[in-house]
Amino acid sequence: EKIMCLAWVSHSLLAVGSNSNINVYDFAKGKVEYSLEGHTALVRDLLLMDCLDVLLSASDDHHIISWSIVTRCQLMKFTGHTLSANKLLAWSDECFVSARDDGKINFWNINSSFSRNEHSIVGGKSWITSITNRSDGALISVGADKVIKIWK
């Protein structure tokens, strides 16, 4: 089993993204508390949207899925990626960012009933390896092409 990502969902529960599922471990007990199943390929990144009690997962199956931490159920499947969704970043209370294999960065509204891509920018010519934001609101990305881009 290939482990690609981790995210705390509470002070004692750790989500672990692997082959095509997410196992949530009780860190204190050292065992799987529950599993979230819905992807069909490797889970690349996890992001907890704390204020909403929502966990997001990005996968090689080209989808991003939002999960309720409270009910442990799938809330929504975000479609629109034509390649792997690699990285996730919280942008605001209702918006998140995803980076993909083709160098594009997508902005999504987490409450969109249509699960659609809200906005897209080109982050580079190759696979985006990391994204982050700066305190002044700038978005920063770096890709396999070793180019760092900053947007304000």
Side-chain angles (χ1 to χ4, degrees), residues 51-72:
C51 59
L52 302 172
D53 288 328
V54 170
L55 180 69
L56 295 167
S57 56
S59 172
D60 280 352
D61 65 8
H62 309 178
H63 296 106
I64 297 165
I65 297 178
S66 61
W67 308 90
S68 168
I69 297 304
V70 177
T71 64
R72 303 175 181 178

Side-chain angles (χ1 to χ4, degrees), residues 3-37:
I3 295 174
M4 295 298 295
C5 49
L6 305 167
W8 288 103
V9 295
S10 73
H11 76 284
S12 64
L13 295 177
L14 180 67
V16 178
S18 59
N19 292 350
S20 64
N21 65 344
I22 301 158
N23 288 320
V24 180
Y25 288 86
D26 184 316
F27 201 70
K29 296 176 185 173
K31 67 175 191 141
V32 175
E33 187 72 18
Y34 61 92
S35 293
L36 302 171
E37 298 177 2

